[in-house]
Amino acid sequence: MREGTFFCIDAHTCGNPLRLVTGGYPALKGETMSEKRQDFIKNHDWIRHALMFEPRGHAMMSGAILYPPHREDSDASILFIETSGCLPMCGHGTIGCVTAALEHGHLKPRTPGHLKLDVPAGQIQIEYQQEGEKIRKVRIFNVASYLAHENVVIHCPTLGELTIDIAYGGNFYAIIDPQKNYSGLEHFTASQLIMMSPTIRELANEAVSCIHPDDPTVHSVSHVLWAGKPQTQGADAKNAVFYGEYAIDRSPCGTGTSARMAQLAAKGKLSPGETFVHESIIGSLFEGRVESTTRVGEKTAIMPSIQGWAKVIGINTIFVDSDDPFAHGFEVR
């Protein structure tokens, strides 16, 4: 018996995958996208597992579902699904979703070149550049981002004592800058980072509490950002973001770049109007910018923007059959 048929557009944003689900998804209950996210997690999370994990996906797979707008002044809503969970916000996912949806007619902006989108973390705005049928660049004006905890000391079994910062950019990030026991991203392989990151994340969550003051359903460190020296011309810094259980983001990471800019701004190293070009582990770039300052609860925060690009790589129809022993996906640990 077939449990679901899902129509999808596959893309990648600066190297990291994005599967846009355009049909077969469920209606969600809730007055806000945050509430609808909770309904999906409670009642429909098998869809995320089926579409993101093996055999239909893989450890790095990210996805998005395009819904009608929630607010009257919005063009659409996005729910983010990936191997690390149903996220409040995803930067590379937004860029890929917007690119695929616009190029294939699933999104009709009220004002060409501009969009307002509802996501679980709030409302975001988009500017995009189009040439013919192709979307060349997408800039996200992201949710307010802030440094949540500074100079948190943890003891990593592999590296020893580390001092980390924790910042929010749509998700909570443990940020590891070069220091005595961590010489920088350029000195480690992806497999080494994958081995160490789950422990870093666990230690960070044990050390401090991370709860968004405006939405308590957004909580806990979910991502680990390893920082290093840039290696691509024009970049200001390089990073590798760990998420899920085995994934290293191939893109420079949108919410991670937002969190990184919030951290730097809080330390006086980045000011409103300044740009921050972030390099990924494979050398692709996002252009970040501090648009303005604001507050989140008692914290000083920034309003960041991130610009990147995406490419559509295929269209597929995915079946989930109940007589398939791996219908709901699996992950090899």
Side-chain angles (χ1 to χ4, degrees):
M1 179 179 177
R2 184 163 294 166
E3 290 188 62
T5 299
F6 300 93
F7 303 98
C8 306
I9 303 173
D10 280 358
H12 75 87
T13 301
C14 291
N16 212 52
L18 184 282
R19 174 167 287 162
L20 175 61
V21 183
T22 61
Y25 52 84
L28 298 177
K29 299 177 182 177
E31 296 300 318
T32 65
M33 279 305 295
S34 179
E35 290 180 1
K36 290 177 180 179
R37 170 178 173 252
Q38 295 305 312
D39 179 54
F40 184 92
I41 292 170
K42 181 179 179 180
N43 298 306
H44 308 287
D45 204 39
W46 68 268
I47 296 173
R48 178 180 69 86
H49 280 265
L51 299 185
M52 297 296 107
F53 289 92
E54 296 182 65
R56 301 166 194 85
H58 50 75
M60 271 67 63
M61 182 61 76
S62 294
I65 304 175
L66 193 65
Y67 280 95
H70 175 72
R71 303 187 191 190
E72 290 184 0
D73 63 338
S74 292
D75 296 278
S77 300
I78 305 177
L79 185 79
F80 302 104
I81 54 175
E82 61 176 50
T83 53
S84 63
C86 184
L87 299 180
M89 174 59 189
C90 180
H92 99 273
T94 300
I95 293 170
C97 175
V98 166
T99 299
L102 286 172
E103 289 186 357
H104 287 262
H106 293 282
L107 187 54
K108 303 292 184 183
R110 301 182 187 189
T111 304
H114 299 267
L115 292 165
K116 289 184 179 181
L117 301 172
D118 299 320
V119 301
Q123 187 187 60
I124 60 173
Q125 297 191 45
I126 301 292
E127 291 180 356
Y128 63 89
Q129 299 176 22
Q130 185 168 3
E131 295 178 5
E133 297 181 351
K134 294 291 186 180
I135 305 300
R136 297 301 182 187
K137 293 182 180 180
V138 175
R139 180 173 290 276
I140 304 166
F141 293 84
N142 198 15
V143 296
S145 303
Y146 64 96
L147 180 61
H149 298 282
E150 188 175 4
N151 297 327
V152 178
V153 177
I154 61 173
H155 296 271
C156 175
T158 307
L159 297 176
E161 182 177 289
L162 294 174
T163 300
I164 66 174
D165 292 334
I166 297 174
Y168 175 82
N171 304 290
F172 283 105
Y173 285 77
I175 300 175
I176 309 171
D177 282 299
Q179 55 194 276
K180 179 181 177 181
N181 291 328
Y182 167 64
S183 53
L185 171 61
E186 58 274 16
H187 299 287
F188 292 84
T189 65
S191 59
Q192 288 174 313
L193 301 179
I194 290 171
M195 178 187 68
M196 295 185 291
S197 291
T199 301
I200 298 290
R201 181 170 57 194
E202 182 179 354
L203 291 170
N205 282 315
E206 289 176 355
V208 294
S209 175
C210 296
I211 302 174
H212 195 285
D214 297 331
D215 187 350
T217 68
V218 179
H219 60 82
S220 304
V221 172
S222 54
H223 296 60
V224 178
L225 190 156
W226 300 86
K229 294 179 181 179
Q231 295 178 308
T232 298
Q233 184 176 3
D236 295 304
K238 187 169 183 172
N239 87 118
V241 163
F242 171 85
Y243 62 95
E245 296 300 325
Y246 307 103
I248 293 289
D249 199 330
R250 273 59 172 157
S251 84
C253 189
T255 57
T257 299
S258 297
R260 180 69 161 150
M261 289 194 292
Q263 176 214 25
L264 294 173
K267 293 174 177 286
K269 298 179 180 180
L270 201 59
S271 300
E274 291 186 333
T275 60
F276 176 73
V277 179
H278 218 188
E279 180 183 357
S280 75
I281 196 169
I282 64 170
S284 54
L285 304 176
F286 278 171
E287 181 189 90
R289 187 169 65 219
V290 178
E291 299 293 336
S292 61
T293 58
T294 185
R295 295 193 70 82
V296 175
E298 298 180 353
K299 299 284 188 180
T300 299
I302 65 166
M303 298 302 297
S305 71
I306 311 98
Q307 181 173 270
W309 54 267
K311 297 293 182 182
V312 173
I313 57 176
I315 298 174
N316 61 56
T317 302
I318 296 177
F319 304 130
V320 180
D321 291 330
S322 60
D323 63 354
D324 180 349
F326 302 119
H328 295 171
F330 63 87
E331 189 169 42
V332 178
R333 297 179 182 270

